[in-house]
Amino acid sequence: MIILLYLMIDNYYDLETALQRATEDIILLSITMSLWAFLFGILMEWNGLRSLFKGEFNVNWQLLIPTVVLTILVFIPNVYWLTWFGQTQDFFPNVFFTRELNLVLSVLAGTMLVRSFVKK
């Protein structure tokens, strides 16, 4: 997990530099940042991962479907949310436009993914 935190911080600084220079790397860096946060969320549920590797799993469809939708939404780069919706006061696009909230939702999606396959 410490390695993932290091990768997230390193990627964050690269993303800040790319935003200041307005380069084409913004999209790739945003997706990579979401991936690191998603993996961090998966690793937060290490007890659930351990039981999954032991073969103890059950699919909770009521949790899996919202998890898949949330995962798709958090992997859309922030640049596209701004292009599609512009700078609005609406709650929905601003949740995905803000990088910090996008990272929190990525961690939540990773955690929910493991929980949707773990037996209770």
Side-chain angles (χ1 to χ4, degrees):
M1 289 183 76
I2 293 174
I3 294 170
L4 276 176
L5 288 175
Y6 172 76
L7 291 171
M8 285 172 60
I9 291 170
D10 189 41
N11 196 356
Y12 179 78
Y13 289 132
D14 291 342
L15 183 60
E16 287 295 320
T17 304
L19 285 171
Q20 289 175 358
R21 295 183 183 162
T23 62
E24 294 291 325
D25 296 338
I26 296 171
I27 295 170
L28 180 64
L29 289 170
S30 294
I31 292 172
T32 308
M33 189 74 152
S34 295
L35 177 67
W36 296 141
F38 184 75
L39 291 175
F40 186 80
I42 288 173
L43 288 178
M44 280 179 50
E45 287 291 319
W46 63 272
N47 282 332
L49 279 177
R50 190 172 55 195
S51 67
L52 285 175
F53 285 125
K54 288 180 182 178
E56 304 168 0
F57 64 92
N58 186 22
V59 179
N60 182 354
W61 290 103
Q62 293 175 341
L63 188 59
L64 183 63
I65 292 171
T67 301
V68 170
V69 171
L70 181 63
T71 302
I72 291 169
L73 291 176
V74 297
F75 275 101
I76 297 173
N78 301 345
V79 177
Y80 291 128
W81 289 109
L82 182 62
T83 303
W84 294 335
F85 293 103
Q87 192 70 20
T88 66
Q89 297 299 321
D90 296 334
F91 175 73
F92 177 71
N94 285 340
V95 168
F96 297 105
F97 177 66
T98 308
R99 277 177 275 144
E100 292 82 8
L101 286 176
N102 195 348
L103 288 178
V104 170
L105 291 174
S106 297
V107 171
L108 177 66
T111 303
M112 286 173 55
L113 182 69
V114 174
R115 288 185 181 181
S116 65
F117 288 113
V118 173
K119 280 186 181 178
K120 293 200 178 196

